[in-house]
Amino acid sequence: MTSAAADRPELEKNWNPSDVEEKIYQRWVDAGYFTANPTSTKPPYSIVLPPPNVTGSLHMGHALNHTLMDALTRRKRMQGYEVLWQPGMDHAGIATQTVVEKQLAVDGKTKEDFGRELFIDKVWDWKRESGGTIQAQMRRIGDGVDWSRDRFTMDDGLSRAVQTIFKRLYDAGLIYRAERLVNWSPELQTAISDIEVKYDEVEGELVSLRYGSLRDDEPHVIVATTRVETMLGDTAVAVHPDDPRYQSLIGTTLEHPITGRQIPIIADEYVDPEFGTGAVKITPAHDPNDFEMGLRHNLPMPNIMDERARICNTGTEFDGMDRFEARVKVRERLAGEGRVVAEKRPYLHSVGHSERSGEAIEPRLSMQWWVKVESLAKAASDAVRNGDTVIHPTSQEPRWFGWVDNMHDWCISRQLWWGHRIPIWYGPDGETVCVGPDETAPEGWTQDPDVLDTWFSSALWPFSTLGWPEKTPELEKFYPTSVLFTGYDIIFFWVARMMMFGLFVSGDDAIGSEAVGGGGVQVPFRDVFLHGLIRDQFGRKMSKSRGNGIDPLDWVDLYGADALRFTLARGAQPGGDLSIGESHAAASRNFVTKLFNAVKFALMNGAVVTELPDRSELTDADRWILDRLDKVRAEVDVAFDGYEFGKACETLYHFAWDEVCDWYLELAKVQLSGGAPESTRAGSMARAASTRAVLGNVLDALLRMLHPVIPFVTEELWRALTGGESVVIADWPAASGQIPDERAAIRIADLQRLITEVRRFRSDQGLKDKQKVKAQLTGLDAADLTGHIAELATLARLDVVEPGADFSATASVEVRLSGATVQVDVDTSGTVDVEAERRRLEKDLAAAQKELAGTTGKLGNEAFLAKAPEAVVAKIRTRKNVAEEEVQRITARLEELAGR
């Protein structure tokens, strides 16, 4: 108990999350529970929040990620760690600039009307006024982040980190400028990253064109293309070197049908001779595969489209046309010349589109800045192979190696105004200098107009947010971070790049408190947990186009934040996708309500959190539930430590609902009422007091174990139960150290089975739930259950008649328990439904016969007996014997009923 006991909340009649969640969260923040102390002597535990876009809002993928991270940090805090969960947002270059440009367009303005500096000021204004919606949403779902350390990728400190690492990479020869192929957005007029390209199946056309002579007996080839306009930039036709159809043409040239250039016929093993005609047109400046072939064969690479994807530099009548208009016009001209030999419409094929602007991406040769990734990617790959960073689940390792072992150089420049400006300056005579954070560019020099890819700054997130390149107390305490949580879909775009940059800066910086694996190697995180994608209840990926996306805040409004969180965590399996629907959220809400009502009942019956009596003074039910609590705690610890959130939640759910609520609370009611056999009134009172203590301690531990996943309801209930300050800072449950009472567990299991079977019999007979029936019990002594008559009578609604009393049974139930069979003879005064009883017994007989057939078959299988361990065979023999006895017993009972 703490001094805050006077502040113990009074529980309302019902749990209404919308009434209390906001107040509870603000209380946590005001109390500073989530604020990390870098000077603490506690062991560190740190997680960085994958920075959401400043333009963004929570979707279900965010909600899943945040729930799992919050669960881990809350548990570690309770386990005595100094926890930092680092929040922040990404400036989201393209997305943010697009939002502001659209606002300007409403007034008929463009960014050019304001100029670069004034436009950037307007973006900052928008960020201050409208950005960060997601922060309020994070509070709604209970994110326990350290808001005092909130970071933004364009903050001064983080901008300094970006400039520092750019210069170090540049000076090391790992950043260079070159004309290479990029994903080009004609609408945005910038290169964009692969993750900002979404591929859709579209209906186009496949046109087969004839190059060379129109006469069949003279040199010619036929190629097929879905983008006829790109033929204006063709510089070769390629065939497979072993294709016999083209041996005489390899090394010769053909005249380009429109430009008149002579283009060579080249041989390359990339060409598939089985596909189409076995000949392909090569446009190096507008196709990634053609670009690679162009490099191999030293082909010219004319760029035939400008920044807006209009045809240029061809010297033809098509110059100035939009690419789609040119596609029609070029085809029409070639058709008029007899060079279109086949057309297929519609032709379904995959086309990349800009995620932001929606138009088809144009592969385009462009002068850009690049990171040379070979050595950086090898270091990132080795870190996982050497075990410095562990990927969970390990089944995702091939995905990791597939990316980093085959990584291409990274285009880091973007033709935008909003973002980190590339720190390269050009002199009047073509000189180039990279300017560091404490350096000044020469007077009169001009800075490169491009900005860096958003992923460049977010790749520094684990250490830039802690103050790097300065050697701060935060870096010393919390770096390397403990674990990174993210979806497997951005393993390349973000995770690999953080690994590359983190390992690069560890080479000449002693950042953080400990190098991993020796040799100065410092990974940015010890573990990487990769979760799957959120899918709807039918297993379909959630998307706006399908209309099956779910706003997580809608579920918070309907069911409460705890229900949302429990639904997501319960379904989370390492690396696996998660299918959820509203029924899952409703079920989670019901679980939260069940928990609330259980604690409320316990409080109404005087449950207390206090020192437990000696185990010898406890009942079987008390010892059983305490032993189950110990086992559940151990299972939950293993699950959480292995990032198996679904298993942890499933274990807690069934313990809370099936064992605590459905059984122990019911058994406790008997003990609290004094109904258990006792020789004295004092004994009954002592037993009731023990029960209140056991009930209080079990619920205390259960609430603490559930708190990481369902923090709001557990906070309210735990404070009401214990009078403690907050479950956020309560200790994580520890093992009791007690030896489990196996006999008590067996007796309670037998009691449960006996009660369940009697209840089933009552249901089959159509007896009302509260209707008591007279019953005589035989075999309780042999089953070691004589001490549980009161519980059996109360929970099975029996009026137990002593042996030898005047009693006439109209029906009976035989229940085989672990050590004996108990027969319950019932007098229902003619209310027994004989036909219903017969149906019940026939169903039981079928099950027993199936078990007997299965075990008999196994024991008659010589191959099985030869391979199976003796313990397994013995177990099957026992099952066979039990099944035989059940068949005999049920058959005899059916024969008895036949005479009625």
Side-chain angles (χ1 to χ4, degrees):
M1 303 285 266
T2 74
S3 59
D7 193 33
R8 186 193 301 254
E10 291 288 335
L11 295 182
E12 298 293 334
K13 181 179 179 181
N14 299 304
W15 173 245
N16 295 308
S18 59
D19 294 342
V20 294
E21 285 180 347
E22 184 178 353
K23 296 174 186 176
I24 291 174
Y25 186 85
Q26 193 57 48
R27 180 177 177 272
W28 290 334
V29 173
D30 293 343
Y33 296 147
F34 307 140
T35 304
N37 178 10
T39 65
S40 166
T41 58
K42 297 178 182 178
Y45 188 84
S46 57
I47 295 181
V48 293
L49 177 77
N53 287 355
V54 67
T55 60
S57 61
L58 277 180
H59 55 63
M60 272 297 181
H62 288 128
L64 170 63
N65 210 22
H66 289 214
T67 294
L68 302 185
M69 284 186 284
D70 192 43
L72 270 195
T73 54
R74 285 179 183 271
R75 176 171 174 263
K76 288 295 182 180
R77 191 178 291 110
M78 298 171 76
Q79 289 180 311
Y81 287 79
E82 189 62 38
V83 173
L84 170 62
W85 185 13
Q86 173 69 58
M89 289 188 297
D90 192 287
H91 65 279
I94 291 177
T96 307
Q97 179 163 319
T98 300
V99 167
V100 178
E101 284 194 83
K102 285 181 178 178
Q103 290 182 345
L104 297 180
V106 173
D107 297 324
K109 301 287 186 180
T110 67
K111 66 180 189 297
E112 286 77 14
D113 293 326
F114 295 90
R116 186 167 193 142
E117 290 188 10
L118 284 178
F119 175 75
I120 291 175
D121 287 343
K122 287 191 171 293
V123 180
W124 276 109
D125 289 342
W126 177 88
K127 188 262 179 185
R128 283 187 287 268
E129 294 171 9
S130 306
T133 299
I134 208 166
Q135 291 179 328
Q137 296 173 323
M138 287 167 61
R139 293 172 179 263
R140 291 284 310 278
I141 66 171
D143 283 5
V145 297
D146 185 347
W147 291 112
S148 70
R149 300 179 185 278
D150 195 22
R151 297 291 183 266
F152 182 55
T153 49
M154 292 282 285
D155 286 347
D156 290 342
L158 274 66
S159 294
R160 179 179 178 84
V162 168
Q163 198 171 354
T164 299
I165 197 169
F166 185 99
K167 182 169 176 57
R168 292 190 188 183
L169 289 164
Y170 181 84
D171 291 346
L174 296 177
I175 286 183
Y176 65 96
R177 193 171 187 237
E179 193 173 40
R180 304 278 293 275
L181 209 66
V182 297
N183 298 312
W184 187 264
S185 168
E187 179 72 23
L188 302 171
Q189 296 182 55
T190 181
I192 63 175
S193 70
D194 289 343
I195 199 171
E196 291 160 325
V197 178
K198 302 300 179 185
Y199 287 87
D200 299 316
E201 294 290 322
V202 300
E203 289 187 354
E205 60 182 8
L206 183 66
V207 181
S208 296
L209 306 176
R210 184 175 183 126
Y211 280 48
S213 175
L214 293 175
R215 291 174 55 93
D216 290 342
D217 59 350
E218 293 180 351
H220 69 278
V221 292
I222 297 173
V223 300
T225 180
T226 58
R227 304 173 66 217
V228 178
E229 73 282 3
T230 62
M231 64 89 63
L232 297 170
D234 286 353
T235 57
V237 171
V239 298
H240 193 277
D242 299 329
D243 193 331
R245 294 170 293 180
Y246 302 110
Q247 292 299 307
S248 63
L249 291 178
I250 295 173
T252 66
T253 64
L254 296 175
E255 184 178 301
H256 190 282
I258 291 181
T259 67
R261 296 191 310 269
Q262 290 293 317
I263 59 174
I265 309 295
I266 62 173
D268 196 290
E269 291 185 351
Y270 171 79
V271 180
D272 180 3
E274 302 299 323
F275 182 77
T277 64
V280 294
K281 57 189 284 302
I282 305 302
T283 318
H286 295 279
D287 182 274
N289 295 319
D290 293 4
F291 175 75
E292 295 297 330
M293 205 177 300
L295 291 177
R296 287 197 294 273
H297 295 273
N298 197 28
L299 298 175
M301 299 187 181
N303 197 335
I304 61 161
M305 293 188 201
D306 65 13
E307 292 84 354
R308 295 188 181 277
R310 296 173 300 202
I311 304 299
C312 65
N313 304 324
T314 68
T316 69
E317 71 267 28
F318 308 108
D319 282 354
M321 289 184 186
D322 173 79
R323 55 183 167 161
F324 298 116
E325 179 188 3
R327 182 173 300 173
V328 175
K329 296 299 183 182
V330 170
R331 185 185 69 246
E332 288 177 349
R333 173 172 163 175
L334 293 172
E337 296 174 0
R339 293 190 176 277
V340 175
V341 298
E343 295 180 78
K344 183 178 181 181
R345 296 192 192 92
Y347 180 73
L348 194 66
H349 62 126
S350 180
V351 176
H353 290 76
S354 168
E355 182 183 43
R356 300 298 174 189
S357 51
E359 90 278 24
I361 288 301
E362 185 61 46
R364 182 173 181 268
L365 198 62
S366 177
M367 184 66 75
Q368 303 285 348
W369 286 95
W370 304 80
V371 172
K372 190 180 297 184
V373 301
E374 183 178 4
S375 61
L376 300 173
K378 183 179 185 304
S381 180
D382 289 346
V384 174
R385 285 192 167 93
N386 297 336
D388 298 329
T389 290
V390 178
I391 292 178
H392 303 268
T394 55
S395 60
Q396 291 293 327
E397 283 186 359
R399 188 188 295 267
W400 168 263
F401 294 126
W403 277 114
V404 297
D405 292 346
N406 300 284
M407 194 181 296
H408 297 291
D409 285 0
W410 171 18
C411 177
I412 57 172
S413 48
R414 299 291 181 265
Q415 290 63 58
L416 303 171
W417 287 359
W418 171 246
H420 295 101
R421 188 93 171 258
I422 290 179
I424 294 291
W425 295 72
Y426 304 106
D429 298 319
E431 307 97 324
T432 300
V433 64
C434 181
V435 177
D438 298 315
E439 301 171 348
T440 304
E443 188 175 348
W445 286 38
T446 303
Q447 187 173 4
D448 193 290
D450 289 350
V451 301
L452 287 164
D453 177 14
T454 293
W455 295 99
F456 189 95
S457 52
S458 60
L460 313 181
W461 193 248
F463 49 91
S464 64
T465 51
L466 299 177
W468 186 89
E470 307 303 323
K471 294 180 179 178
T472 64
E474 287 78 6
L475 271 173
E476 179 66 25
K477 181 73 174 179
F478 296 113
Y479 191 86
T481 61
S482 305
V483 60
L484 175 76
F485 271 72
T486 191
Y488 63 66
D489 52 333
I490 61 170
I491 190 171
F492 167 66
F493 303 102
W494 190 45
V495 183
R497 290 166 177 176
M498 284 189 290
M499 285 283 280
M500 292 193 302
F501 280 6
L503 290 166
F504 175 76
V505 300
S506 76
D508 53 9
D509 279 296
I511 63 173
S513 58
E514 179 187 352
V516 179
V521 175
Q522 279 185 313
V523 292
F525 20 76
R526 318 282 194 184
D527 290 339
V528 175
F529 175 82
L530 299 173
H531 61 74
L533 305 178
I534 299 283
R535 299 183 181 275
D536 67 15
Q537 67 267 38
F538 304 110
R540 301 173 304 181
K541 185 176 179 180
M542 288 187 181
S543 68
K544 292 180 180 178
S545 60
R546 284 197 182 97
N548 64 342
I550 302 170
D551 184 339
L553 274 299
D554 288 346
W555 280 9
V556 172
D557 292 337
L558 283 170
Y559 305 112
D562 289 326
L564 166 72
R565 292 167 61 109
F566 195 76
T567 299
L568 295 170
R570 190 180 181 187
Q573 302 296 337
D577 290 349
L578 168 60
S579 294
I580 55 173
E582 194 157 331
S583 61
H584 298 93
S588 296
R589 184 267 319 276
N590 294 343
F591 174 63
V592 171
T593 301
K594 183 87 168 179
L595 187 67
F596 181 85
N597 290 336
V599 175
K600 190 170 181 181
F601 164 82
L603 287 171
M604 290 171 61
N605 284 274
V608 292
V609 181
T610 186
E611 186 175 349
L612 290 171
D614 187 271
R615 281 175 72 90
S616 63
E617 300 176 24
L618 301 179
T619 65
D620 281 348
D622 295 337
R623 290 193 292 274
W624 164 73
I625 198 65
L626 289 171
D627 291 343
R628 285 295 301 136
L629 175 65
D630 253 357
K631 193 171 192 310
V632 164
R633 181 206 55 77
E635 291 173 357
V636 168
D637 276 342
V638 170
F640 270 129
D641 289 341
Y643 305 109
E644 294 183 292
F645 298 93
K647 185 178 290 186
C649 290
E650 202 68 17
T651 299
L652 288 168
Y653 174 90
H654 288 292
F655 176 65
W657 193 300
D658 301 344
E659 296 181 292
V660 175
C661 294
D662 283 359
W663 283 109
Y664 184 70
L665 282 182
E666 296 304 310
L667 294 169
K669 288 177 184 178
V670 181
Q671 297 177 179
L672 289 169
S673 68
E678 287 295 338
S679 57
T680 65
R681 175 176 171 81
S684 289
M685 292 177 65
R687 176 158 295 178
S690 295
T691 301
R692 293 186 183 99
V694 171
L695 184 54
N697 280 270
V698 168
L699 290 174
D700 166 36
L702 175 60
L703 292 172
R704 282 185 280 155
M705 287 191 288
L706 282 166
H707 173 72
V709 179
I710 51 174
F712 291 105
V713 71
T714 52
E715 171 78 348
E716 192 80 350
L717 294 176
W718 189 85
R719 290 182 62 220
L721 177 69
T722 68
E725 180 182 341
S726 173
V727 71
V728 175
I729 54 174
D731 291 337
W732 184 254
S736 71
Q738 297 287 345
I739 298 174
D741 188 335
E742 300 294 347
R743 287 302 308 160
I746 291 172
R747 283 192 290 267
I748 293 299
D750 282 345
L751 180 64
Q752 289 172 337
R753 182 171 182 186
L754 184 54
I755 292 170
T756 299
E757 288 301 315
V758 173
R759 285 174 171 174
R760 188 159 72 104
F761 167 78
R762 291 173 57 95
S763 175
D764 290 343
Q765 296 302 319
L767 297 175
K768 295 179 180 179
D769 287 344
K770 294 185 178 181
Q771 179 183 351
K772 278 198 170 188
V773 293
K774 287 187 176 183
Q776 200 169 65
L777 309 175
T778 306
L780 283 184
D781 288 341
D784 196 18
L785 289 179
T786 53
H788 293 283
I789 294 176
E791 293 96 322
L792 175 60
T794 302
L795 273 58
R797 294 288 190 268
L798 300 178
D799 183 4
V800 178
V801 177
E802 293 293 329
D806 185 15
F807 176 76
S808 176
T810 57
S812 68
V813 181
E814 289 187 24
V815 183
R816 183 176 181 85
L817 305 179
S818 60
T821 296
V822 172
Q823 179 168 319
V824 184
D825 295 313
V826 183
D827 177 9
T828 57
S829 301
T831 63
V832 171
D833 185 336
V834 174
E835 187 57 35
E837 174 69 349
R838 183 180 289 110
R839 287 196 300 269
R840 180 180 75 83
L841 289 169
E842 287 173 346
K843 183 178 178 183
D844 290 350
L845 179 61
Q849 288 171 335
K850 182 178 180 181
E851 171 74 354
L852 179 59
T855 53
T856 301
K858 282 189 176 181
L859 293 173
N861 185 332
E862 294 298 332
F864 169 77
L865 294 175
K867 294 180 180 179
E870 181 55 37
V872 173
V873 175
K875 188 174 181 180
I876 293 175
R877 285 198 183 102
T878 300
R879 285 171 49 195
K880 177 176 179 290
N881 293 336
V882 170
E884 286 175 338
E885 292 177 8
E886 284 290 281
V887 169
Q888 292 173 5
R889 179 185 66 81
I890 298 170
T891 300
R893 178 60 180 150
L894 283 169
E895 290 174 353
E896 179 186 335
L897 286 180
R900 295 182 59 181

